[in-house]
Amino acid sequence: MRLVVPLQGVAQGRGGLLLGSVIPCALFCFLQLYFKRRRSPSDPPPPSTSSSNQPEMTRHSSLSNLLSRGPLRISSLATSIAKPDDSPYYMGLDKASEDPYNRIANPDGVIQLGLSENRLCFDLIEKWTSENLRDWVMGREGGDLSISGIATYQPYDGTMKLKMAMAGFMSRVIGRDVSYEPSQMVLTAGVTPAIETLCFCLADHGNAFLVPTPYYPSFDRDMKWRTGVELIPVHCRSKDDFVLSISVLDQAFNQTRKRETKIRGILLSNPANPVGNLLSREMLEALLKFAEEKNIHIISDEIFAGSIYEEKEFVSIAEVVGSEDVDKNRVHIVYGLSKDLFLPGVRVGMIYSFNENVLAAARKLTRFSSVSAPTQRLLVSMLSDTKFIVEYIQTNKKRIQDMRDLFVAGLEELGIKCTDSRSSLYCWADMRNLIPTYGEKGELELWEKLLNVGKINLTPGSACHCIEPGWFRCCFATLDKEDVHVVMERIRKVVGSRTSCG
Amino acid sequence: MEIKRKNKTQLLSKIATNDRHGENSPYFDGWKAYDNNPFHPTQNPNGVIQMGLAENKLCFDLIKKWIMENPDASICTAGGVDKFKDVAIFQDYHGLKEFREAIAKFMGRVGGNKVTFDASRIVMSSGATGANETIMFCLVNPGDAFLVPSPYYPGKLCRFARDLRWRTGLEIVPVDCKSSNNFRITRAAMEDAYEKAQKWNLNVKGIIIANPSNPLGTTLDIETMRSLVAFVNEKNIHLVCDEIYAATVFDSPRFVSVAEVIQDMDCCNRDLIHIVYSLSKDMGIPGFRVGIVYSFNDDVMLCARKMSSFGLVSSQTQYLLASMLSDDGFVGNFLRESSKRLAKRHYVFTKGLEQVGISCLTSNAGLFFWMDMRLLLKEQSFEGEIELWRVILNEVKLNVSPGSSFQCSEPGWFRVCFANMDDETVEVALNRIRAFVLNRENQESNRSKRCWRKKHLRLSFSSTRLYDETIMSPCMISPHSPLVRAKT
């Protein structure tokens, strides 16, 4: 303060000072006056020796100190996260959950087509649990999963019993000759922390991952929020059926390098979300070669692997890695039970890696998001019932196919075509002809109309970073068959019925 | 080949390769020793007894009984299956309403019903570990600092520090508390630590306390709580209260939550106050992974809730606990029994140690006590403490936790956990400690006699060489040695 006084005197009483000295002086002056005004005239200097034995003085000075200390700061992260989500993906989800459709209780509610859940076989799971888990908590005395076993601390990365059960389930669900090694698994409380944990292991703050677009909107949150990594979109187009190509990937890689941002890996979804297409074996091999050349990782999100119903084959990257002479250390798979078994509430996700160092790091990090022990017990019982699992997988695939056929046919009647992907719990609908203006603005206008007037929540392509406007993801596996025509009627009300040429 | 190998290591992040997880600290040896040779009363009676893990197994029979008598709560039986669909698909990060209400009610009860907790402020996380980390993500930017009164819980594996620091980039500045006033947190100590942090150019964002304290096992008195609240208000920094041992209080004074303290303090800015809670210690169910963040700051609450996606409590677990904690009769009985059993166990241990001259810090809470082994140190230093710890671990076969792993500023203190074993094991553990203490004292006394004799002989010659040998003699002169008396 003493330093400022002479300058203040100089600045206040003078005119005609050179510009270079006026501005800093003015700034000093402004700051001093500003703080002077904020401080109460009768306030003692900030107490460094005040004792808590003088509550009155403490209270007075604490209040005034509060005023003089400026705004309370929380982390920059919290400040940005606490703001309401303005992405249409989240806004739509919120609206649908606030006013949920129910055929009987709330027939005018919002129909949720924005959540890629699979409710088609839930009746089978309900039946199994009521018949088989009367004593799920108690179990046999002793062992990992007896009652005294589950209450106590478990390995943070999941019990070996559950890992073995998951390994068996994954092999069956994918239906090919791939076996998964339980010791290469790290279990987490859902796929969300699995992806985040992998990011923490593979990338530092400011590093980047290449992600083919369109991609799952929540990656922006799950992967970026707390890790500080960047996601670089690699744009795929409708002329290529939204299939990734190495040349486009290479271009994105080089452009990012020019900005001096370090790329740590590629994040793939296979089956893709939201488009639903599959990566061919040749493409996976090419991607592995690319990753090796550039010395980066590949994360393959295979959470929808069990939703494929056509004869068309799904090839897990685990299979390609197993058979080729490739560097396995850069390959990591993410999986979970939320889609295939439809138990998203119980929170079970998995990192599957061939890299011992990544596994070691991930195991330590899972202390922040481990699977609840009673849930582990429930799932070990369920997944070990081979007969049930085989029947479930077959029935599930059939019902997904039936529902998809019904839904896609309904859209076609309205003149809306979907991409030819024979997998997953959603379809990628081409509504480019229906948006009022060609662009993101036009797409969002249609989305809003569908949500607020039509009362159906779809996911607009822009929320998925799709470079071409007019595409929408429609999740059909949360519907009952009877509701499909309700959906079509509502879409018709909003867009009218057009032929595919009109 | 060399380049390839180098490239491979470079492929991992700094977080994955740094040591902030703390598991490379030498105290990991304690856990290894236990894992390699765990005590069992019949199969391995000479194994290492685990006294380094603060687990609460004393009332597990009550929980088991409740679950058996309430099968519908498990949602997987014929009776409970109606709820199954709603629960199994529920993944909303707000959490089940019944769960939040039950937790709020339980927290209120644990606080003596002096304060009501708002269920809409309850935010989930994956255990207290997840809760601590989440609150730090909400409050600090990398490089910011938090004051932490020592001794504090990094634990043997530096867990607390790991939970707080690892991924958030937080710096910790200890607030030194001394045995001379029973490790109380004083205003002067807080100011000292705050100034120290400023000298180091650290931006202090807040102070985090554990009440009841781990490792001390003491609750904070109301005056200290008020002093803390006043301090943070003056500095305009946050106060995070880790209250995970709240229901382990077994003696007076009663537990006072920070929520109760601020009720009577009009001058307090509530946006500064945050609570971390969990059921892992109070109810002894760490495997369920139930952590709670309760903040009076709306922005922090909103942020923490969104982050809870990274560690939601399984909906099945939420439902089970909602049912259990809503059962008023069960909860009342549980809390009473738990206090009784903890008190008894604490008494047995502390009295048993008193008989061999080992005192403990007077404590009224927690699953452990803070044992004073300063008289048994060969050297009053942290090296002396580690030497003693290794002997206790490798020879006495007890895994206790040395005070230095809790950043205690004075050597010679050890945390001993007592609630994770049955009564027979307690006997064995006590006998081992008693035998060790007596043996050590004898050894000390014999050694000091030998030293005295040696020195006495040496002193009868005046050769320089012998004098040098005396100085360099490895044995420590006992404070009772006549040599010392002669010098003074």
Side-chain angles (χ1 to χ4, degrees):
Chain A
M1 285 303 140
R2 288 202 184 99
L3 189 61
V4 175
V5 167
L7 284 171
Q8 182 190 4
V10 164
Q12 276 180 342
R14 298 285 188 267
L17 287 172
L18 293 171
L19 205 61
S21 51
V22 162
I23 293 171
C25 288
L27 193 58
F28 266 112
C29 173
F30 170 73
L31 284 172
Q32 206 196 3
L33 285 173
Y34 176 72
F35 284 119
K36 207 173 169 181
R37 254 191 229 114
R38 294 207 53 195
R39 219 180 299 126
S40 136
S42 62
D43 202 23
S48 54
T49 51
S50 74
S51 129
S52 57
N53 290 333
Q54 298 170 16
E56 286 307 316
M57 186 157 137
T58 307
R59 187 180 303 164
H60 174 69
S61 56
S62 75
L63 259 177
S64 51
N65 273 339
L66 196 62
L67 290 170
S68 70
R69 279 196 59 89
L72 172 65
R73 291 216 157 70
I74 56 179
S75 68
S76 327
L77 179 65
T79 308
S80 67
I81 291 176
K83 290 192 204 123
D85 265 310
D86 55 6
S87 155
Y89 177 67
Y90 295 107
M91 283 165 63
L93 289 178
D94 284 345
K95 188 115 192 209
S97 65
E98 281 158 26
D99 180 20
Y101 168 82
N102 182 293
R103 205 176 317 129
I104 299 145
N106 188 18
D108 295 326
V110 178
I111 300 184
Q112 176 67 283
L113 298 177
L115 205 49
S116 62
E117 285 179 340
N118 177 3
R119 302 188 184 190
L120 301 176
C121 281
F122 201 67
D123 56 315
L124 300 181
I125 298 201
E126 264 179 320
K127 185 166 170 283
W128 185 90
T129 50
S130 68
E131 286 170 3
N132 289 278
L133 289 184
R134 250 171 282 276
D135 58 351
W136 76 273
V137 179
M138 304 314 300
R140 294 174 298 282
E141 274 311 308
D144 295 342
L145 296 174
S146 64
I147 179 66
S148 41
I150 59 173
T152 189
Y153 279 106
Q154 307 289 318
Y156 285 122
D157 61 326
T159 57
M160 187 45 79
K161 277 207 167 108
L162 181 54
K163 289 181 187 180
M164 286 167 55
M166 293 275 290
F169 178 72
M170 283 165 73
S171 297
R172 267 191 204 94
V173 127
I174 285 165
R176 291 163 64 90
D177 194 21
V178 194
S179 62
Y180 294 88
E181 179 51 59
S183 62
Q184 283 171 231
M185 289 182 186
V186 167
L187 302 183
T188 55
V191 177
T192 301
I195 294 216
E196 195 205 33
T197 298
L198 261 184
C199 275
F200 270 118
C201 291
L202 303 179
D204 296 319
H205 197 280
N207 292 163
F209 280 86
L210 298 172
V211 193
T213 69
Y215 64 74
Y216 168 53
S218 281
F219 279 158
D220 287 327
R221 184 178 66 174
D222 300 347
M223 288 184 74
K224 288 164 69 172
W225 251 0
R226 308 192 302 184
T227 62
V229 305
E230 228 186 291
L231 297 186
I232 309 289
V234 180
H235 291 299
C236 305
R237 296 170 193 277
S238 55
K239 66 175 172 58
D240 304 316
D241 292 326
F242 295 100
V243 172
L244 179 64
S245 78
I246 297 292
S247 56
V248 172
L249 195 62
D250 199 28
Q251 211 177 17
F253 183 88
N254 292 329
Q255 271 170 2
T256 311
R257 277 267 292 266
K258 281 196 195 121
R259 288 170 23 203
E260 295 185 352
T261 299
K262 191 166 176 122
I263 295 174
R264 287 296 205 171
I266 310 167
L267 172 64
L268 307 168
S269 298
N270 183 27
N273 180 6
V275 180
N277 49 20
L278 302 175
L279 288 171
S280 66
R281 192 188 180 90
E282 293 71 33
M283 176 51 80
L284 287 170
E285 286 165 357
L287 283 164
L288 282 165
K289 196 156 156 241
F290 180 85
E292 190 143 5
E293 264 169 45
K294 308 294 184 195
N295 192 25
I296 58 178
H297 294 274
I298 295 183
I299 301 177
S300 180
D301 178 358
E302 300 188 349
I303 194 176
F304 290 103
S307 315
I308 298 149
Y309 50 85
E310 269 275 312
E311 287 312 305
K312 193 165 183 174
E313 292 177 335
F314 166 72
V315 180
S316 166
I317 199 168
E319 193 184 323
V320 179
V321 160
S323 60
E324 300 287 323
D325 180 26
V326 293
D327 180 7
K328 297 179 180 171
N329 282 311
R330 51 185 86 252
V331 177
H332 322 279
I333 298 171
V334 163
Y335 185 68
L337 294 181
S338 308
K339 313 295 180 185
D340 291 340
L341 257 194
F342 192 42
L343 294 171
V346 301
R347 315 304 302 146
V348 178
M350 183 192 72
I351 297 169
Y352 189 82
S353 178
F354 297 86
N355 186 322
E356 263 316 308
N357 292 324
V358 170
L359 287 172
R363 274 180 207 120
K364 293 185 181 118
L365 284 171
T366 50
R367 58 183 294 105
F368 299 111
S369 50
S370 21
V371 185
S372 180
T375 300
Q376 296 197 52
R377 194 177 190 293
L378 166 68
L379 290 170
V380 165
S381 300
M382 191 184 288
L383 299 178
S384 307
D385 187 338
T386 316
K387 185 162 168 287
F388 164 71
I389 291 295
V390 165
E391 186 208 327
Y392 175 87
I393 292 172
Q394 275 170 3
T395 313
N396 186 36
K397 292 188 187 228
K398 173 117 194 358
R399 290 186 188 178
I400 294 176
Q401 182 176 6
D402 289 347
M403 182 59 84
R404 187 200 154 89
D405 289 347
L406 183 64
F407 195 87
V408 168
L411 286 178
E412 269 193 24
E413 274 178 37
L414 297 173
I416 300 170
K417 282 203 171 313
C418 297
T419 56
D420 185 29
S421 75
R422 309 292 184 153
S423 61
S424 245
L425 312 175
Y426 39 79
C427 54
W428 187 233
D430 183 356
M431 299 195 187
R432 287 177 290 178
N433 292 343
L434 303 174
I435 55 180
T437 52
Y438 188 76
E440 187 179 324
K441 190 158 171 284
E443 181 187 278
L444 289 176
E445 269 179 45
L446 176 60
W447 167 76
E448 244 177 318
K449 214 167 159 201
L450 285 166
L451 181 63
N452 296 322
V453 177
K455 299 287 202 72
I456 53 172
N457 178 38
L458 308 182
T459 306
S462 51
C464 307
H465 302 272
C466 183
I467 195 151
E468 298 175 21
W471 293 87
F472 287 77
R473 184 187 77 166
C474 314
C475 302
F476 51 74
T478 47
L479 297 174
D480 292 331
K481 281 192 172 154
E482 297 79 8
D483 299 324
V484 174
H485 82 274
V486 177
V487 171
M488 299 308 155
E489 270 315 300
R490 290 189 184 192
I491 298 179
R492 189 193 305 276
K493 229 174 48 182
V494 172
V495 303
S497 152
R498 303 186 193 194
T499 63
S500 52
C501 308
Chain B
M1 201 57 192
E2 262 308 310
I3 297 170
K4 218 174 174 186
R5 206 175 296 132
K6 187 182 172 199
N7 279 345
K8 277 185 189 165
T9 354
Q10 279 170 350
L11 277 178
L12 290 185
S13 68
K14 291 188 190 117
I15 282 180
T17 49
N18 73 19
D19 279 347
R20 274 187 161 209
H21 51 75
E23 286 184 19
N24 291 340
S25 69
Y27 314 114
F28 192 53
D29 291 348
W31 287 82
K32 249 196 270 177
Y34 171 74
D35 284 339
N36 291 339
N37 185 18
F39 171 81
H40 187 278
T42 47
Q43 291 166 16
N44 190 19
N46 295 322
V48 176
I49 298 180
Q50 174 64 287
M51 302 185 87
L53 181 57
E55 258 190 323
N56 184 0
K57 295 189 180 175
L58 298 185
C59 282
F60 198 67
D61 56 312
L62 301 179
I63 300 206
K64 192 160 127 177
K65 184 163 173 281
W66 187 92
I67 290 176
M68 283 180 68
E69 290 171 359
N70 294 273
D72 291 356
S74 71
I75 69 168
C76 300
T77 59
V81 80
D82 290 336
K83 287 300 254 165
F84 184 79
K85 183 169 186 175
D86 294 332
V87 172
I89 65 178
F90 187 83
Q91 54 174 335
D92 183 351
Y93 58 38
H94 288 79
L96 283 173
K97 186 157 162 284
E98 312 93 287
F99 174 71
R100 284 184 281 114
E101 284 169 356
I103 293 281
K105 199 161 141 207
F106 186 74
M107 285 170 72
R109 264 190 106 148
V110 159
N113 289 321
K114 302 281 184 193
V115 67
T116 317
F117 287 91
D118 180 357
S120 66
R121 289 199 167 275
I122 299 283
V123 172
M124 294 181 283
S125 63
S126 177
T129 303
N132 274 312
E133 202 205 26
T134 296
I135 200 81
M136 287 307 156
F137 267 122
C138 291
L139 298 180
V140 305
N141 296 321
D144 284 345
F146 249 70
L147 308 181
V148 190
S150 75
Y152 63 82
Y153 179 51
K156 279 194 290 296
L157 304 181
C158 297
R159 273 205 200 109
F160 197 51
R162 172 170 60 184
D163 297 353
L164 300 181
R165 295 174 60 203
W166 199 5
R167 303 194 292 187
T168 61
L170 168 71
E171 295 300 331
I172 289 191
V173 178
V175 176
D176 288 328
C177 303
K178 307 277 177 206
S179 61
S180 49
N181 67 345
N182 291 325
F183 297 98
R184 284 188 64 195
I185 306 169
T186 62
R187 179 61 183 241
M190 286 193 279
E191 293 283 2
D192 255 344
Y194 188 85
E195 275 166 30
K196 216 178 352 182
Q198 306 236 292
K199 276 203 197 101
W200 295 337
N201 280 325
L202 289 173
N203 182 25
V204 177
K205 269 302 192 42
I207 179 168
I208 180 165
I209 59 152
N211 176 31
S213 161
N214 178 6
L216 302 176
T218 52
T219 48
L220 293 183
D221 57 271
I222 293 186
E223 273 320 303
T224 307
M225 297 287 294
R226 284 174 170 269
S227 169
L228 272 162
V229 172
F231 178 78
V232 299
N233 272 276
E234 269 169 48
K235 308 288 188 210
N236 202 26
I237 60 177
H238 295 275
L239 174 60
V240 178
C241 295
D242 181 338
E243 299 185 346
I244 69 171
Y245 289 100
T248 64
V249 173
F250 52 81
D251 201 353
S252 56
R254 67 174 180 86
F255 166 71
V256 177
S257 168
V258 68
E260 181 187 336
V261 169
I262 63 176
Q263 269 180 158
D264 303 323
M265 293 179 80
D266 298 327
C267 61
C268 175
N269 177 5
R270 289 180 173 218
D271 280 347
L272 301 174
I273 311 294
H274 322 274
I275 298 175
V276 163
Y277 189 62
S278 166
L279 297 179
S280 303
K281 309 296 180 183
D282 286 348
M283 293 200 73
I285 45 173
F288 282 38
R289 312 310 301 146
V290 179
I292 303 292
V293 174
Y294 189 94
S295 175
F296 289 89
N297 182 318
D298 288 342
D299 284 341
V300 170
M301 182 190 67
L302 286 170
C303 176
R305 182 171 290 138
K306 288 188 186 174
M307 282 193 196
S308 61
S309 311
F310 298 110
L312 289 176
V313 176
S314 166
S315 52
Q316 175 203 30
T317 303
Q318 288 185 51
Y319 187 78
L320 173 66
L321 290 170
S323 306
M324 194 186 288
L325 299 180
S326 308
D327 185 338
D328 288 336
F330 166 75
V331 169
N333 183 48
F334 181 91
L335 292 175
R336 274 188 303 271
E337 265 308 302
S338 176
S339 288
K340 228 166 60 175
R341 295 181 192 184
L342 284 167
K344 185 171 168 213
R345 185 57 70 83
H346 180 267
Y347 180 81
V348 163
F349 258 111
T350 48
K351 273 287 167 280
L353 290 174
E354 222 178 79
Q355 287 163 1
V356 289
I358 299 290
S359 65
C360 304
L361 183 72
T362 306
S363 60
N364 63 324
L367 310 176
F368 33 73
F369 53 84
W370 192 232
M371 184 167 67
D372 184 356
M373 301 277 251
R374 288 176 293 177
L375 292 177
L376 292 186
L377 295 186
K378 292 200 170 134
E379 207 182 284
Q380 293 296 324
S381 66
F382 290 111
E383 288 75 25
E385 181 184 279
I386 293 299
E387 184 270 331
L388 177 59
W389 172 69
R390 288 207 190 280
V391 169
I392 297 177
L393 180 64
N394 297 320
E395 293 173 23
V396 189
K397 305 269 182 59
L398 297 175
N399 182 28
V400 297
S401 310
S404 43
S405 63
F406 297 89
Q407 304 301 311
C408 186
S409 53
E410 304 168 18
W413 293 87
F414 290 78
R415 187 191 77 167
V416 183
C417 299
F418 57 71
N420 60 333
M421 56 186 74
D422 55 32
D423 291 330
E424 290 77 22
T425 313
V426 171
E427 266 311 302
V428 175
L430 263 177
N431 288 337
R432 287 187 189 182
I433 300 179
R434 282 197 279 243
F436 164 70
V437 169
L438 293 169
N439 192 33
R440 181 100 164 173
E441 279 175 354
N442 281 341
Q443 277 180 2
E444 267 311 299
S445 148
N446 287 340
R447 190 182 290 117
S448 68
K449 281 186 192 156
R450 280 200 302 275
C451 277
W452 185 90
R453 257 187 257 124
K454 273 191 184 166
K455 278 166 188 43
H456 202 69
L457 283 170
R458 285 197 182 113
L459 277 174
S460 66
F461 298 95
S462 53
S463 141
T464 317
R465 180 172 150 265
L466 285 165
Y467 178 77
D468 285 341
E469 276 178 4
T470 310
I471 298 299
M472 289 165 66
S473 159
C475 71
M476 192 166 90
I477 299 173
S478 157
H480 303 296
S481 155
L483 210 64
V484 174
R485 282 203 291 276
K487 272 188 178 159
T488 55

